[in-house]
Amino acid sequence: MIDLSHSTKEHDESRQGEALQLEASAENSNGRKLYIESYGCQMNFSDSEIVASILMDKGFETTKDFNEADVVFINTCSIRENAETRVRNRLKEFEFAKSKNPGMIVGVLGCMAERLKSKFLEEEKLVDVVVGPDAYRDLPNLIEQVDDGAKAVNVLLSREETYADINPVRLNTNGITAFISIMRGCDNMCSFCVVPFTRGRERSRDVDSIIKEAQDLFNAGYREVTLLGQNVDSYKFTAPVAEGESPAEPVNFAQLLAKVADVSPLLRVRFSTSHPKDITDEVLHTMARYENICNYIHLPVQSGNSRVLELMNRTYDRAWYIDRVDAIRRILPECGISTDVITGFCTETEEEHQETLSMMDYVKYDYAYMFAYSERPGTLAAKRYEDDIPEEIKKRRLTEVVAKQRLHSHYRIQNFVGKVHKILIEGYSKRSDQDFAGRNDQNAMVVFPVDNRYKIGDYVNVIGESCTSATLLGRIVE
């Protein structure tokens, strides 16, 4: 995977694992330390915060050093083969620490755990616990089983679990931006994707719990939330009613988006990910009505050719996708658009690859996540189609896609030069504590000199003065 984004963490399978740390209160501590390392999409990072919350309630403290941990979890991604390879290599690195601390418990969480199930216990002698994304509430019991000398596994999928009642522990955070999971699972059976098999069927979290979480975050000083789901546009929640009462009207994503934006005009709202078949004009008009809903949409295209899209089971064609892009440009003229692209899908011809390149020229994406197709066991594509495009052709096509996206990313960010942008100061630049960093409405990273009148968490107006290929450089203006 090649990522020409520099902003949020969703879809970023190349991102290194991230350890989480927070101390439990002294009176609640059981003296045991927990280490969690997360890979893959932002849903995994969000899930790790749920796991930390569950285990901290049982007295665990978290640590950034796995060598001193009593329980080590690696939260995994199965969407690309290289993501699974990294996890297996990382597990081998834990082996030495476990040899020095035989009581250490090592567990695999998340999508890879769900996909490979007991294979981890049978083949990976290092692993003691295997837990799927819907079974995190069972972790305290599973750890007890291992303490008693057994291996433990729970990969049961649920049609109801949303963890709505669990308040995630915000770990390794800047205290300004946070993620809120609004739904789990996926009903889209894209032929290349393992998510429906590893995260189960789609279910939406109840509206009140989402609004409460957003309000609690704002009260705690957070100033931006990102609503997360495999396909946020298909969010739909119907409140249960007592017997004899009239059925409640379902709340769709556009309505939820407005409710979250209404928490405070000072709370910025972003969301990910949208599906081209579901994103509606109602969502776009809602974004246009609220100044605090950011003008940025991640809209995966995957391919620019209708025949390939049909093989991918994306349930839209080239014309539909272009219509949705045109609607975004019409209703939200300043909106940033990013995408996912897969090169070398089964039977893709050179002419069909050229249609992907022409789609990129039509949209001129701000950012893109780009992959050469890798067959995932158990997917519909693996069962139905031969992975018949040679690797050298896949990689050559990927190189062409990457080169084109570099041009478009630079074109988009150059358009921000000379304009004033409202920026939420998220922290300091990675390169210097003499510069602040934050993102503009379109999700572009902006770096500008520190002004002591302002602090992290403040909104400032920044004029873009120059840019690199991925970052806007500017200064604060009144």
Side-chain angles (χ1 to χ4, degrees):
M1 189 274 294
I2 298 177
D3 167 19
L4 283 188
S5 160
H6 48 73
S7 48
T8 58
K9 292 179 280 192
E10 65 267 22
H11 304 289
D12 188 355
E13 290 85 11
S14 69
R15 181 181 171 85
Q16 290 298 313
E18 183 169 290
L20 305 177
Q21 181 175 29
L22 195 73
E23 294 185 358
S25 60
E27 62 271 17
N28 186 44
S29 176
N30 65 13
R32 302 179 82 178
K33 292 187 176 182
L34 167 71
Y35 174 90
I36 310 177
E37 196 167 279
S38 301
Y39 291 82
C41 71
Q42 189 53 46
M43 289 294 294
N44 277 3
F45 289 79
S46 179
D47 279 359
S48 290
E49 294 181 337
I50 290 171
V51 169
S53 180
I54 291 169
L55 293 183
M56 285 182 65
D57 281 347
K58 298 298 181 180
F60 283 84
E61 298 177 9
T62 61
T63 175
K64 286 186 176 180
D65 183 359
F66 67 83
N67 289 290
E68 66 178 24
D70 300 286
V71 176
V72 173
F73 286 139
I74 186 165
N75 198 345
T76 61
C77 174
S78 271
I79 200 161
R80 304 288 166 204
E81 183 177 3
N82 61 358
E84 291 194 0
T85 300
R86 281 197 306 277
V87 168
R88 290 185 183 277
N89 291 338
R90 188 60 169 153
L91 285 172
K92 291 175 183 177
E93 292 178 21
F94 294 149
E95 189 169 11
F96 182 68
K98 188 175 174 69
S99 69
K100 294 190 297 182
N101 179 11
M104 177 186 287
I105 294 173
V106 175
V108 174
L109 312 177
C111 294
M112 195 172 168
E114 182 67 39
R115 192 178 79 77
L116 297 178
K117 300 181 172 64
S118 58
K119 199 170 185 179
F120 266 120
L121 300 180
E122 296 165 2
E123 297 181 2
E124 310 287 346
K125 303 302 183 184
L126 171 66
V127 176
D128 306 299
V129 186
V130 178
V131 188
D134 290 348
Y136 296 143
R137 293 180 193 271
D138 198 30
L139 276 169
N141 296 328
L142 297 173
I143 290 172
E144 284 186 13
Q145 290 179 35
V146 177
D147 287 340
D148 291 338
K151 299 284 186 177
V153 57
N154 187 342
V155 292
L156 293 177
L157 292 174
S158 168
R159 287 179 177 265
E160 290 82 32
E161 182 63 82
T162 63
Y163 301 108
D165 60 318
I166 294 177
N167 187 25
V169 174
R170 307 295 170 176
L171 304 169
N172 283 357
T173 176
N174 57 12
I176 304 301
T177 63
F179 294 84
I180 299 177
S181 176
I182 66 169
M183 58 197 303
R184 300 183 70 82
C186 185
D187 286 348
N188 298 314
M189 298 298 291
C190 299
S191 64
F192 55 80
C193 187
V194 298
V195 168
F197 307 105
T198 59
R199 286 191 170 271
R201 297 298 298 273
E202 185 178 280
R203 61 271 190 200
S204 297
R205 182 177 162 189
D206 75 89
V207 176
D208 290 343
S209 71
I210 296 170
I211 302 308
K212 181 180 184 302
E213 186 172 341
Q215 184 67 64
D216 289 346
L217 285 166
F218 181 77
N219 293 345
Y222 288 80
R223 290 298 176 264
E224 180 180 291
V225 295
T226 299
L227 308 182
L228 292 179
Q230 303 301 144
N231 175 18
V232 291
D233 304 302
S234 63
Y235 176 90
K236 181 179 287 186
F237 179 78
T238 303
V241 295
E243 187 176 349
E245 293 184 359
S246 299
E249 287 293 321
V251 176
N252 64 22
F253 180 62
Q255 294 163 332
L256 174 69
L257 200 54
K259 289 176 182 291
V260 176
D262 281 333
V263 166
S264 171
L266 294 178
L267 182 68
R268 266 190 168 177
V269 183
R270 300 183 189 271
F271 57 88
S272 187
T273 292
S274 288
H275 195 293
K277 74 178 176 63
D278 291 321
I279 190 165
T280 64
D281 286 3
E282 183 185 4
V283 169
L284 303 179
H285 285 297
T286 300
M287 295 173 67
R289 286 202 314 271
Y290 285 87
E291 190 270 341
N292 59 325
I293 300 178
C294 291
N295 285 305
Y296 168 68
I297 297 173
H298 186 70
L299 197 69
V301 66
Q302 307 299 1
S303 171
N305 173 262
S306 293
R307 187 191 73 87
V308 174
L309 289 171
E310 184 175 6
L311 291 178
M312 291 177 169
N313 199 33
R314 291 292 287 171
T315 66
Y316 58 85
D317 60 12
R318 179 184 176 91
W320 177 276
Y321 188 92
I322 288 174
D323 174 79
R324 291 296 79 206
V325 170
D326 289 347
I328 293 170
R329 299 292 190 217
R330 181 179 69 253
I331 298 168
L332 299 165
E334 301 300 318
C335 192
I337 304 176
S338 61
T339 200
D340 297 345
V341 178
I342 296 174
T343 65
F345 190 71
C346 311
T347 75
E348 181 189 62
T349 68
E350 192 62 32
E351 292 75 16
E352 290 165 343
H353 166 62
Q354 291 299 320
E355 283 204 76
T356 295
L357 296 176
S358 71
M359 178 70 83
M360 296 177 70
D361 284 333
Y362 184 85
V363 182
K364 291 185 172 59
Y365 297 103
D366 293 65
Y367 325 114
Y369 300 86
M370 295 157 285
F371 311 86
Y373 174 66
S374 63
E375 184 177 88
R376 309 307 297 127
T379 59
L380 298 179
K383 295 174 183 177
R384 295 176 180 175
Y385 313 127
E386 181 185 355
D387 183 8
D388 60 350
I389 307 299
E391 284 301 312
E392 61 269 21
I393 293 179
K394 289 181 184 179
K395 291 178 180 177
R396 189 262 299 162
R397 291 176 183 173
L398 179 60
T399 299
E400 292 174 3
V401 165
V402 170
K404 186 169 289 290
Q405 184 54 48
R406 284 203 174 104
L407 293 175
H408 293 162
S409 292
H410 195 219
Y411 166 79
R412 286 293 181 193
I413 204 161
Q414 280 180 314
N415 287 338
F416 297 141
V417 174
K419 297 178 182 177
V420 175
H421 306 265
K422 184 177 181 181
I423 306 297
L424 173 62
I425 304 175
E426 299 179 27
Y428 294 101
S429 165
K430 291 181 180 179
R431 295 187 176 183
S432 171
D433 60 6
Q434 299 302 305
D435 292 317
F436 282 137
R439 286 168 293 155
N440 71 355
D441 210 31
Q442 294 78 18
N443 218 28
M445 183 57 65
V446 184
V447 173
F448 46 98
V450 168
D451 184 325
N452 291 329
R453 294 174 298 171
Y454 303 101
K455 64 184 184 303
I456 294 171
D458 287 343
Y459 288 99
V460 291
N461 292 318
V462 175
I463 187 167
E465 295 183 313
S466 63
C467 66
T468 68
S469 61
T471 305
L472 182 66
L473 308 174
R475 59 180 172 84
I476 296 175
V477 294
E478 295 301 325

